[in-house]
Structure formats: structure tokens, C-alpha cells
Amino acid sequence: MALAKARASLVTALHAASGDRHAQSAMRAHRVLRLHEPAVEEVAAYRKSGGRANARLICAESLLRLRGKPIAKGGLEAGRAFFADEVKRMLCDGVKAKDAGHWERFDELALSFSRLIAVHYRDGRGRQPERVDRELRTTLPHLAGHLMAELELHMEAKFARPANNLCKVSVFDIQTKLGTLESHADKVVRDHARTIVYAALHAGNLELADALAEGAKAKLGMLESHADEIVRKYAKTIVCAALRSGDLELAGVLAKGARVKLDALQSHADKAARDNAEAIICAALRYGNLKLADRLAKGAADALDGLKEALGDERGAETQLSMMLSAGTLDVKGFLKAAA
């Protein structure tokens, strides 16, 4: 009896599936375009979109599943490089950009995405095509339009490196993650939400943002109760540098070395370095690189001479030097030009 019921249930399910015109249309469209068999989510999207009229749009969106797949650094082998060039050209031909800035960024994004397609795309028979065929040719303009829409949102939100980011995650995922962090329970996470997202994107792993957010408050608390005054004073600076690097353990390294480095600067052979010891250590902590302190200290005296020559005012030169060192630069001309 149980077996009979199971068979009846299976027959009913198969009949329902075979009678689903949208599912059938989706499968036919994917076969024609030589894509993978449509997943349940894609069939649902196909059904929602109204069927055949949007077949190629749904198929183009399925190419976005390649996002995040690895690509070996360096050049592609000749055959794949030729295929990638074809794909890139068709992606660029399929859109119009708002301005030169958007066009430049889209050209970079098209290059990155064409490499993804060249390496990971397979046709309906599981083969890598040597040339872009008619079916893929009709799909790429829809993909181009989708990528341009994401690019515009990416640039509007002022996220960096769209060509790199949008080949790993969608702009919608980025915005969702940023929104989550901006409403986080911990103030340190809210204050550094964008820094955390940028670090995760740079690492190519948006989920890293969750790990950074989870540990930020505890790390800040540890620094604010540190034994060394210099660490307590710049606790927030140190945490920010660690979050920017995508590695909270850097905070411990900076905290451990800050006092030693400050003592060395305060006993430095050059007066310019001694007088600006704290400005130098502040810059080094901000950039998350204690070795920067050595470079700034070494060039401080020469920078002061350059400022005196440029300004003709010794006291003014000393003030500007402190500001320069706090900014982490020894470029006198560049600093004065920016300040003008």
C-alpha cells in the first residue's frame, strides 16, 4: 500500500513537471543557448518574467553564476584569449555609457567578465566553444545591460574598483552588506562600515565583513584599556587600520610595537624627528605600518629644510612639517600644492 502511494505521488509530481509550460520553455531556451539545465530558481524567475519573451534575458542572468569563480593570474592561453576578446567586444557593443568615466570603468569590467566567461563557460554539451556562436551572441547584449546597470549603482554608491568587485559579487550584495553594518549594534562597526566592506571586497570575500564586524568591539576595548598611554590614545586609529587591512590581528602587532617605536623616535639623532615623534607614530599607526615611522623620521630634517626654503618662515615651516608628517608624507611640493 505504501509503495503504491509512493508511486502515485511520483507520477503526480512528474505529470505536474511535464505540464509546466514555463519550465519546459526554460529548459528549451537553455538548451538552445547551450547553457546548463535551469535551476529551480531560474525556472521561477522565467515563470515570473512571462515566458519566452525574456528567455535570453534569463539566460544572460544565468551567466552571472560565473561570478566569483577563480581565474589564474596572468595571460590566458591563445585560444581562450581570442574567445575572451570576442566576448569583451560584444559586451562593449551592447551598451552605451553615461560619460567617459562610466565607459572607462565598463571597459575594465567587460575585460574582467570576458575572462570569466572564456575560462568557465561551457555550452549545452559541456564543451568550451572556440568562437562565440549565434546563441551566445544574442545573449551577451542582455548581460552587458545588466552589468552596466550594476556598474552605475556601484559608482553612484562610490564603491572602489568595480571591475574587480563586480566579477566576484553583485552590487546588490555589497549594498545589503553595507546596510547591515551601518545599522550594526556596535558603534565601532557602524563608524567603519565602509572600511569593513572595502577590506572584504579587496580580499575577494564579502563574508569577511561579518568576521571583522564580530571582533571589532572587543579589539577596541582591549586597546582602550591597554597599559601604554600611546596605544590607548590611538586605539580607534589602530582598529581602523586593522579593519582596513582585513586583519584584526594587525591591531595587536601595532599596539605591541607602538611604545618601542615612539621611544626610538623621541631619542632620534635629528631634532626634527624628535620634535615630531608623536605625529610620526600617529601616521604609522593610521597606515598600519610601523616601518613608515622610520622613513618619515629619516627624511624629516630634509623636509623641514625644503619647507623653510619654500615658505621663508622658520616657525611656519615647523608647523607645516608636523602636518606633513601626520599625513604620512615627505613630499614638500605636493603637500604645499594640495594645501594651497
Side-chain angles (χ1 to χ4, degrees):
M1 187 66 176
L3 182 58
K5 286 185 177 180
R7 283 177 178 171
S9 177
L10 179 59
V11 169
T12 300
L14 290 173
H15 185 270
S18 64
D20 188 334
R21 291 182 295 103
H22 292 295
Q24 289 177 346
S25 296
M27 288 186 280
R28 281 197 297 271
H30 276 234
R31 290 190 189 109
V32 168
L33 294 171
R34 297 179 180 178
L35 297 172
H36 58 271
E37 286 295 304
V40 173
E41 295 84 359
E42 291 172 314
V43 172
Y46 190 81
R47 180 183 297 108
K48 185 177 180 181
S49 73
R52 296 186 182 185
N54 290 304
R56 285 183 170 80
L57 176 60
I58 299 301
C59 292
E61 290 175 353
S62 75
L63 290 174
L64 294 171
R65 288 175 176 268
L66 300 178
R67 195 154 26 195
K69 290 185 177 293
I71 299 179
K73 293 183 179 180
L76 301 175
E77 64 92 13
R80 292 294 89 203
F82 181 81
F83 185 85
D85 288 343
E86 273 197 301
V87 171
K88 178 181 180 294
R89 184 172 62 254
M90 292 176 191
L91 287 174
C92 290
D93 288 345
V95 294
K96 291 183 179 180
K98 289 182 177 179
D99 51 43
H102 280 76
W103 178 251
E104 183 180 354
R105 298 287 86 78
F106 185 82
D107 188 70
E108 294 170 352
L109 176 57
L111 173 61
S112 297
F113 224 93
S114 69
R115 286 168 57 86
L116 270 178
I117 294 173
V119 172
H120 296 291
Y121 173 75
R122 298 293 187 276
D123 64 21
R125 298 180 181 179
R127 301 176 303 185
Q128 278 189 320
E130 296 181 2
R131 299 289 302 270
V132 175
D133 56 24
R134 180 179 62 82
E135 289 78 12
L136 187 55
R137 188 184 304 273
T138 59
T139 301
L140 288 174
H142 294 290
L143 176 63
H146 184 101
L147 291 176
M148 177 59 83
E150 286 204 35
L151 174 69
E152 290 175 355
L153 290 171
H154 192 283
M155 293 179 68
E156 183 180 335
K158 297 182 179 179
F159 295 127
R161 307 194 315 160
N164 182 69
N165 296 337
L166 295 181
C167 280
K168 296 174 181 175
V169 293
S170 77
V171 70
F172 310 109
D173 291 334
I174 298 172
Q175 289 176 323
T176 298
K177 187 65 69 177
L178 178 60
T180 299
L181 297 178
E182 288 178 333
S183 59
H184 198 276
D186 296 335
K187 186 176 185 299
V188 65
V189 176
R190 297 195 301 273
D191 290 346
H192 298 291
R194 277 187 172 263
T195 298
I196 293 170
V197 169
Y198 288 158
L201 290 173
H202 184 74
N205 177 16
L206 194 56
E207 298 310 309
L208 174 61
D210 297 327
L212 295 174
E214 184 179 353
K217 183 178 181 179
K219 190 65 67 174
L220 178 61
M222 180 195 77
L223 297 173
E224 288 178 333
S225 60
H226 199 275
D228 288 333
E229 180 185 358
I230 192 66
V231 175
R232 297 195 301 273
K233 183 174 182 179
Y234 292 106
K236 292 181 180 178
T237 299
I238 294 172
V239 166
C240 183
L243 291 173
R244 191 185 310 115
S245 74
D247 180 10
L248 281 172
E249 295 307 311
L250 176 62
V253 175
L254 296 174
K256 184 177 180 179
R259 169 55 58 184
V260 174
K261 189 64 66 177
L262 181 61
D263 289 344
L265 292 171
Q266 289 175 334
S267 60
H268 199 276
D270 292 334
K271 185 176 184 300
R274 295 196 302 273
D275 290 346
N276 292 282
E278 188 166 336
I280 292 172
I281 197 66
C282 178
L285 293 175
R286 184 184 306 113
Y287 283 95
N289 180 10
L290 288 173
K291 291 183 179 180
L292 175 62
D294 299 326
R295 185 171 69 83
L296 294 175
K298 184 177 181 181
D302 289 340
L304 180 59
D305 290 341
L307 287 168
K308 288 178 181 178
E309 182 178 347
L311 299 175
D313 177 2
E314 183 171 347
R315 180 170 294 182
E318 290 174 351
T319 300
Q320 291 296 316
L321 177 65
S322 181
M323 295 171 63
M324 271 184 59
L325 294 174
S326 293
T329 181
L330 292 169
D331 181 3
V332 173
K333 291 182 178 179
F335 179 79
L336 293 177
K337 182 178 179 179

